Amino acid sequence: MTVKLQMLGTGSAFAKRYANNNGIISTSNTKLFIDCGITAPLALHQLGLTFDQLDGVIITHLHGDHVGGLEEYGFQMMFRYKRKPKLYIATTLVEPLWENTLKGGMSQPGLECLEDVFDVHPLEPDTNYAIDDELSIRLIQTPHIPDKSSYSLLVNETFFYSADMRFQPQLLEQLVQQGVTSIWHDCQLVGAGEVHATITELLSLPPSIQSRVSLMHYGDERSEWEGRTGLMPFIEPHHVYTIDS
Ligand SMILES: O=c1ccn([C@@H]2O[C@@H]3COP(=O)(O)O[C@H]3[C@H]2O)c(=O)[nH]1
Ligand SMILES: [Zn+2]
Ligand SMILES: [Zn+2]
């Protein structure tokens, strides 16, 4: 049983050298986007893939670098490939994704709600969902922007994907105690970490945690930080990682 994760991009929302921090998680049966941001359609094309080669998408929160590609994804699947993609998303985000993000561009006669475009699978947090025999996903609500719901992903109980979150050392400690062996964490390299964990904060983690952390969602200044990130390597865009075996 092998789950693979390939990042379409590993950049922060404002990065220009790296595409948005979106991934493709795959098993032998299923291929899903993890988020589908503004740069996802072009990044997918640059990898030589098309939207119909994926089964659907898991959404973590409603920022453009995570959902800005969904209009093109939905329209391509509807008009080019004639199939509704699966959409795994927190129950709390179903209505706002349509009303606040997609409705302006997508609504037209026959397209009046999210379910008209996607095969919507609402997820409750802290609950494991078997996507297929090899892949289970649990949403964990984590702090990012005040009063705005945002979720991290726990995959097969062993792999934690922060998506966008502020520094939560106790959560990371608890996850490792519960058997998490790998943590992919967003990382702000410059400035104060108001909505993301900073590299300074992540460097304060003990070696027992740091040794399990890899860094993603970083800015264009990554090259200045090579060799200065403690035990935490940068995730490479496009590299295919095995995250569970
Ligand atoms: O209160 C706020 C809200 C947003 N922002 C910036 O906008 C970006 C939106 O995408 P992101 O969540 O990947 O990163 C965010 C930050 O870079 C911020 O600095 N403070
Ligand atoms: Zn982001
Ligand atoms: Zn965000």
Side-chain angles (χ1 to χ4, degrees):
M1 172 157 105
T2 304
V3 179
K4 295 190 171 156
L5 181 52
Q6 179 179 36
M7 297 304 284
L8 289 166
T10 51
S12 67
F14 305 156
K16 297 294 172 271
R17 292 183 185 160
Y18 308 101
N20 294 158
N21 197 79
N22 308 154
I24 296 175
I25 190 166
S26 52
T27 68
S28 44
N29 299 313
T30 307
K31 207 182 269 288
L32 299 171
F33 286 108
I34 297 180
D35 289 326
C36 182
I38 295 159
T39 62
L42 180 58
L44 189 74
H45 174 74
Q46 287 170 339
L47 269 186
L49 296 172
T50 54
F51 283 117
D52 66 323
Q53 292 175 281
L54 285 96
D55 301 291
V57 57
I58 305 165
I59 293 299
T60 63
H61 69 295
L62 303 190
H63 278 147
D65 56 321
H66 302 266
V67 293
L70 283 180
E71 177 178 313
E72 180 173 344
Y73 184 30
F75 275 150
Q76 279 214 30
M77 292 308 294
M78 174 161 294
F79 296 114
R80 184 174 276 179
Y81 300 115
K82 324 274 184 207
R83 174 168 66 82
K84 271 188 196 174
K86 292 178 179 164
L87 171 64
Y88 297 95
I89 184 167
T91 310
T92 54
L93 298 181
V94 170
E95 189 192 351
L97 176 59
W98 181 256
E99 291 296 327
N100 304 341
T101 301
L102 296 177
K103 185 178 180 179
M106 301 198 87
S107 67
Q108 62 184 65
L111 297 186
E112 273 131 36
C113 61
L114 202 56
E115 289 77 5
D116 287 337
V117 182
F118 295 100
D119 173 16
V120 181
H121 294 251
L123 308 180
E124 294 298 332
D126 304 319
T127 306
N128 276 335
Y129 290 89
I131 305 293
D132 67 22
D133 289 348
E134 300 169 44
L135 179 64
S136 84
I137 300 277
R138 187 195 309 174
L139 297 184
I140 300 174
Q141 187 165 7
T142 44
H144 176 35
I145 307 288
D147 298 327
K148 201 167 159 68
S149 297
S150 185
Y151 300 85
S152 303
L153 307 177
L154 184 61
V155 178
N156 289 357
E157 303 280 349
T158 56
F159 174 80
F160 180 76
Y161 182 96
S162 69
D164 289 9
M165 71 178 228
R166 301 203 297 274
F167 188 50
Q168 299 295 300
Q170 287 180 339
L171 172 63
L172 301 180
E173 179 82 43
Q174 188 188 324
L175 288 165
V176 168
Q177 275 171 12
Q178 290 170 0
V180 165
T181 53
S182 181
I183 294 168
W184 285 18
H185 212 298
D186 55 320
C187 174
Q188 188 173 320
L189 296 172
V190 173
E194 284 157 0
V195 302
H196 296 282
T198 64
I199 184 62
T200 308
E201 288 171 325
L202 292 165
L203 281 167
S204 74
L205 291 167
S208 57
I209 308 286
Q210 261 193 53
S211 59
R212 298 169 198 274
V213 173
S214 300
L215 306 174
M216 60 181 185
H217 204 293
Y218 43 76
D220 285 339
E221 57 286 339
R222 168 185 158 165
S223 60
E224 297 157 36
W225 285 86
E226 298 291 353
R228 297 170 58 205
T229 60
L231 301 176
M232 303 173 288
F234 288 111
I235 297 293
E236 299 294 342
H238 298 185
H239 183 87
V240 179
Y241 293 88
T242 297
I243 59 165
D244 185 19
S245 51

